[in-house]
Amino acid sequence: MASAETSTAQTEFSVVQKRPVGRPRKNSTHPLDIQKQQQQFSSPVQMAVVAPSTTTTEDKGIANNMSTSRLRLGELGSEGMAAIRDITNYLQPLELRWPTCLRTYEKMKLDSTVSAALDLGYILIEKRFNEAKLHYNKSSERSKEAADFIEWCFDNMDGQTLRSIARNAATFREHGFSILEKVYTRVKDGKYKGWFKVAKLGYRHPLSLYQAEPFVFGGDGRELVSVKQDPSFFKNSTGFFSYPNSIHSEPIEIERKKFILMGYNATDSLICGISPLAGAYKAWREKVILEDLEVTGTSKSLSGMPLIYIPNDILSKAAMDPTSPEGLAVKALDRQMANLHAGEQAYMRLPSDLIDGSSTTRAYELRFLGVDGTSQVPNTKELINDRKKAILDRLGAGFINVGNDSVGSYNLGESKSNLHGHYVERDCNIIEEGLNKDLIPQLLAMNNIYLPSDELPYVLSGWAEDPSKDETSKVIQRTAAVGFLPATPEVVDENFAMLGYNYRIPEEYKTSPEKWQEYMNIYMPQFTSRSGDGLAAGGLNGTSSSVQGSADNSVSNNENV
């Protein structure tokens, strides 16, 4: 009975499932079983990338219920040019905020377009102050003595000249302001022994200012009292702090009367000015982004776009079920293609099967194509050139780009060059004002020399560009021919300077009218020509001695235009 019951229970509950003939055993290591498992895959790629599936029937049911029907796998959206604008607008309040703006200006200086415009201005400013002269009231002996002392001080500064001083001061074109600390010392010997002289005008870089409170104001904010420098800024070439106790010491405070402050676009309420680079920031930032995109696109074009051909039935099965062997194979190929394009993979392995019915065409093929076609993506060169023009125009140097594109003319370049001359003229006026209104009066007062404003010596910079000798000679000839040009030593010296001659009238002939007349008789016996005779006779025809009808032949002379 017991054995019968046991046999019945085994029959009801222990149904033995036999493996069909020819099916390999699961997880078998027998070589014949492994060969039979490999024959179930439809392609060698599936065999290479597929892994044992652990997905149950229940998991597949959940996956099929998800909204994956006719799902587009490719990218639909595009960043577009709006991304460049958004990035610029996001960074602008961050990069133009004090004191971050100072480091932003330093980065902008490294740009080729910004650097070219700044350097051109510096060259012209240095040239003007390299030829600067000290002027004074010729009718005042005290003014002449003061001018001689000031000129002696400029000639005996410690390693500085007017040119180098102007270069340091002109950095307000970058940061919006420049600070030159006045350093005085006593003269130890010579004609001015015991006098105070200016040893140097030390440039104080804006990055060295104390960031928490760079400027100290007093009088309810109505006046600037001092500036503060951060001691931790001072490091030597080895990276160690060179200022005594720089890590723990208080900020260095420089009182207002100790330094010259020059500002670009400065006003009474904005004495530190505004950097012109702030106006060029938007164009510069967009230009940098576009250049990075251009380099990225060029690198892709040079390396080529990888293109792989896969049989259509494999792609269809992969789209229907991404977890299928075909789906896993396509996913692995996509990953390898991405690595190959990014340069992270040197090669990839593909099967050598041929398409059914063909003896040469492979089912799987890899090619590299260049970037071609009629894409609607804007030309980056045009976009970059537009930003470059905006930067140069903001800095007044738009004529630099004339001729680099298809548009350009001599008249356009000349007009823009004249405009840049006004920028340089204004910069030189700011520097001259700092020297003439701050340094010179204080230096004279320290030596107990007090002069009225009309007797104070003053620095006047030279010519930014040499005047045209052709046009200058025409003006001199025309004005002298009609007796409108005064024949004085000062006028003659100025004419010599405009013509580019270094010769000047000797001082001994400027002391009295008699001496000057003696010089004229010897060196300039005929100061005027006969080209004005026609005007004296009532006509307009050169040396004509009578009026000949109503004709005016001088109008047809191009030299008189």
Side-chain angles (χ1 to χ4, degrees), residues 351-372:
S352 60
D353 295 1
L354 301 177
I355 296 179
D356 295 339
S358 175
S359 60
T360 58
T361 306
R362 300 183 184 277
Y364 294 83
E365 186 177 359
L366 178 64
R367 294 183 180 181
F368 289 90
L369 301 181
V371 179
D372 54 6

Side-chain angles (χ1 to χ4, degrees), residues 14-77:
S14 301
V15 180
V16 178
Q17 299 290 339
K18 294 184 177 181
R19 174 176 53 84
V21 178
R23 177 181 295 178
R25 296 181 177 87
K26 292 183 178 180
N27 300 328
S28 175
T29 59
H30 194 276
L32 295 178
D33 293 338
I34 296 176
Q35 183 178 4
K36 291 180 180 180
Q37 290 179 358
Q38 293 176 350
Q39 292 176 354
Q40 293 181 357
F41 297 107
S42 60
S43 69
V45 175
Q46 299 178 28
M47 180 182 65
V49 300
V50 72
S53 175
T54 58
T55 307
T56 62
T57 304
E58 182 180 357
D59 294 334
K60 291 183 178 180
I62 296 175
N64 291 334
N65 291 332
M66 298 177 64
S67 300
T68 58
S69 177
R70 301 180 64 85
L71 177 65
R72 288 286 299 272
L73 302 180
E75 183 180 9
L76 297 179

Side-chain angles (χ1 to χ4, degrees), residues 494-505:
E494 188 171 352
N495 290 336
F496 284 153
M498 295 174 63
L499 293 173
Y501 297 128
N502 294 325
Y503 176 79
R504 297 295 184 268
I505 304 297

